[in-house]
Amino acid sequence: MIVGGADGCRAGWVVCRRDLDGTLDIRVVKALADACEGLSILAVDMPIGLTDTPRPGRACEAEARALMPGKASSVFPTPCRPALACTTHADANAASRKLGLGINRQTFHLFPKMREVDGLLRGSARLRRVVYEAHPELAFTRMNGDKPVLSKKRQPDGFAERLDLLAKHGFKWKPQTVSGAARDDVLDAMAVCRTATLIAAGTATRLGPKRLRDRYGLPMNIWY
């Protein structure tokens, strides 16, 4: 079973694929649909399943934050569907605020990737069985004995700490330039790829109610 992990990057998506023998293949693709080719499971660092109102928010996000004291801010609040449909931050913020909670600019910058994932899964029943939502910092928390990694991944010590955790769990990578992606994007893709291996093995943990779906039948769960 070939699995993968994907994280958004400036050129599209950086994807870490893990073959049957444990060999890693790291590449950048323009579209997430391309990342799914040949994979049994793809864990992606992007929300799947959206609420119609911003409050109370997705249960899986609240559970994720509770598991990462000191790192809870790494779980961004997912926008509601009315906000995601907006093409400017001002409109998205106004639409969301009208329903109870505004949208910050950092979250708004992720809208194109969120729309891509949402459209892909709404349009393919097959891919809904392949693509799972994951979160790299939750993955690192599990690798770290259920303790959140508090160092910053873009700083040398934080990068090295996460690289070491990945190596200890069978994901060795010699840092190198990956055109179109920052090296911390690669770390995140590797981390959620590790989650994909756990999903495939039946040992991953699901956050959020099992049967909870959005209006289009997409699950609202985070796996780690």
Side-chain angles (χ1 to χ4, degrees), residues 10-112:
R10 61 181 179 272
W13 301 85
V14 58
V15 183
C16 174
R17 297 167 63 100
R18 192 172 194 265
D19 293 336
L20 296 174
D21 62 358
T23 300
L24 301 182
D25 173 41
I26 296 172
R27 63 182 71 175
V28 171
V29 298
K30 185 175 181 180
L32 189 66
D34 298 330
C36 299
E37 292 297 324
L39 296 182
S40 299
I41 300 289
L42 176 68
V44 60
D45 177 21
M46 200 59 62
I48 296 172
L50 306 174
T51 58
D52 291 322
T53 59
R55 292 191 184 276
R58 303 191 309 161
C60 57
E61 291 174 22
E63 292 178 25
R65 294 185 189 105
L67 290 170
M68 296 191 293
K71 205 70 178 180
S73 62
S74 68
V75 183
F76 298 156
T78 297
C80 59
R81 283 200 175 278
L84 189 67
C86 299
T87 56
T88 69
H89 175 253
D91 288 345
N93 188 45
S96 187
R97 189 176 295 279
K98 184 177 181 180
L99 294 171
L101 186 67
I103 291 288
N104 62 39
R105 288 189 178 276
Q106 190 173 15
T107 299
F108 176 74
H109 289 321
L110 298 175
F111 274 25

